[in-house]
Amino acid sequence: MPPLSSIRASNSAVLNSTSSIPTAVFVGGTSGIGQGIAEAFAHHTKGNARIFILGRNKQAAETILSGFPKPSSPEAEHQFLECDVSLMKNVQKATQELREKHGVDKVNYLVMSQGYFSVAGYTETEEGLDKKMAVHYYSRYKFIEELLPSLLKAKEEGEEAKVLAVLAAGHGGNIDREDLGFKKSYSTTKLGIQTPTYNDLMLEGFAARNPTLTFGHAYPGFVRTNLGNAKDSPLWMKASVKLVVALTYPLSVSVRDCGEYLLHGILETMRTPGAWRITNDGSDLGKKKYYGSDEDRKALWEHTVEVTKVK
């Protein structure tokens, strides 16, 4: 990995090179990787940004926001919006609140790192989607769809307009076009292999339809997060998480360091419009370990548009 000191210096230089107040939306920013990226962004902008954290844990969000640097610009604001992203209607409501209550008409950075750790089988939401897929894939599509006009407006005004989905770029596999959404056959292994490819193909679909915008899919590597260690997690799961953390500790990074590396990927690696895949140190992954075809992308797009419609 590049020296962290140089990564921090680069991030600071980029975010301090503009006179405008950037707007950033962090979905899943109340803990883990999303928190790390949000904190790095707040630090390097010296708090002079419009930062919105979306998630379920209000208390955690308030603690994070209180730690941000105090802004000197009257245009800056730091807000939390509560949203259970497993339901598309909630995503739609949250983005509507951003526009109507907070006056967010343009978005420079949309970062999505929402996660749901469960070994349960297919768990259908009231909208007919598997809960884990809703969090790791469908909600990401829905946030982009809803905030697309705001991203386009930022670009039209000569500002940055970038999207990053954090999951597992380069760690996917072939998708099953005959079972999109995993209603016929479900396993956590199958989901884990195919969902990264779902994200790749979805972001490519948006990039093809919006050639002025920049989209990225990141693999964060081993990060010391609290995923799987929530209060309502069973004891065996908490014990397993602790064991994995201990075994991977020499190979892992802190949430804060991960945030700096992935922010660097957004700011420096993802410099031009299109669909990017970046590694855990923010560098370009290119098409290494890439899966999917034009037929896959078309079928998945049509499926996603249909099942994410809010009734």
Side-chain angles (χ1 to χ4, degrees):
M1 282 187 172
L4 194 57
S5 57
S6 64
I7 294 295
R8 289 193 178 111
S10 175
N11 289 344
S12 184
V14 172
L15 289 174
N16 283 287
S17 65
T18 177
S19 58
S20 61
I21 299 297
T23 298
V25 177
F26 297 92
V27 183
T30 58
S31 65
I33 297 163
Q35 175 185 345
I37 304 175
E39 289 178 334
F41 184 84
H43 171 75
H44 294 301
T45 57
K46 298 180 173 63
N48 291 311
R50 302 187 74 195
I51 301 175
F52 298 90
I53 291 179
L54 279 65
R56 295 185 300 167
N57 193 329
K58 182 178 181 180
Q59 183 177 2
E62 290 176 343
T63 299
I64 294 166
L65 294 174
S66 68
F68 285 178
K70 304 306 176 189
S72 59
S73 171
E75 298 177 47
E77 63 175 309
H78 308 151
Q79 302 284 349
F80 167 68
L81 279 69
E82 190 168 355
C83 181
D84 175 358
V85 302
S86 66
L87 295 175
M88 302 306 105
K89 67 179 182 181
N90 292 347
V91 174
Q92 189 177 71
K93 180 181 177 182
T95 53
Q96 184 177 0
E97 184 178 345
L98 276 171
R99 290 189 298 269
E100 297 179 0
K101 182 178 178 180
H102 298 281
V104 176
D105 60 347
K106 61 181 178 180
V107 172
N108 301 107
Y109 303 99
L110 170 60
V111 178
M112 300 173 291
S113 60
Q114 60 266 42
Y116 173 62
F117 186 75
S118 171
V119 294
Y122 186 92
T123 304
E124 192 164 280
T125 69
E126 64 184 69
E127 296 175 331
L129 302 173
D130 172 65
K131 186 174 182 178
K132 196 167 186 180
M133 279 296 292
V135 173
H136 290 171
Y137 172 68
Y138 294 114
S139 65
R140 296 163 184 238
Y141 168 88
K142 196 65 175 176
F143 270 109
I144 300 174
E145 180 187 57
E146 292 290 328
L147 292 175
L148 196 55
S150 301
L151 289 158
L152 288 168
K153 183 173 182 181
K155 196 64 179 179
E156 288 165 4
E157 295 187 6
E159 300 178 8
E160 296 282 24
K162 297 181 176 182
V163 176
L164 181 71
V166 181
L167 190 64
H171 292 264
N174 291 314
I175 69 169
D176 181 358
R177 292 205 302 269
E178 302 304 316
D179 188 22
L180 296 173
F182 307 105
K183 286 183 177 289
K184 298 177 182 177
S185 173
Y186 184 96
S187 72
T188 53
T189 300
K190 181 179 179 181
L191 185 144
I193 290 173
Q194 295 191 35
T195 308
T197 305
Y198 273 53
N199 277 262
D200 277 343
L201 296 174
M202 177 264 290
L203 294 167
E204 289 171 353
F206 273 113
R209 291 165 174 81
N210 303 277
T212 63
L213 301 183
T214 304
F215 300 86
H217 177 197
Y219 169 64
F222 293 111
V223 185
R224 298 189 285 273
T225 71
N226 289 321
L227 189 63
N229 201 29
K231 290 181 179 179
D232 56 351
S233 298
L235 290 176
W236 69 264
M237 184 179 292
K238 292 181 179 181
S240 298
V241 169
K242 287 182 179 179
L243 178 61
V244 171
V245 169
L247 292 173
T248 61
Y249 195 90
L251 304 173
S252 65
V253 298
S254 68
V255 163
R256 177 171 293 185
D257 291 354
C258 176
E260 291 284 0
Y261 280 115
L262 294 189
L263 179 60
H264 181 70
I266 299 169
L267 300 175
E268 288 286 7
T269 303
M270 294 165 49
R271 278 181 168 271
T272 57
W276 293 80
R277 300 161 82 232
I278 62 175
T279 66
N280 55 321
D281 65 2
S283 60
D284 181 20
L285 178 62
K287 289 289 187 178
K288 294 177 182 176
K289 298 181 180 179
Y290 176 86
Y291 296 86
S293 64
D294 291 340
E295 292 78 11
D296 291 337
R297 191 179 305 106
K298 181 177 185 295
L300 180 64
W301 185 270
E302 292 173 352
H303 160 82
T304 307
V305 169
E306 184 62 32
V307 302
T308 57
K309 290 178 180 177
V310 175
K311 304 297 189 291

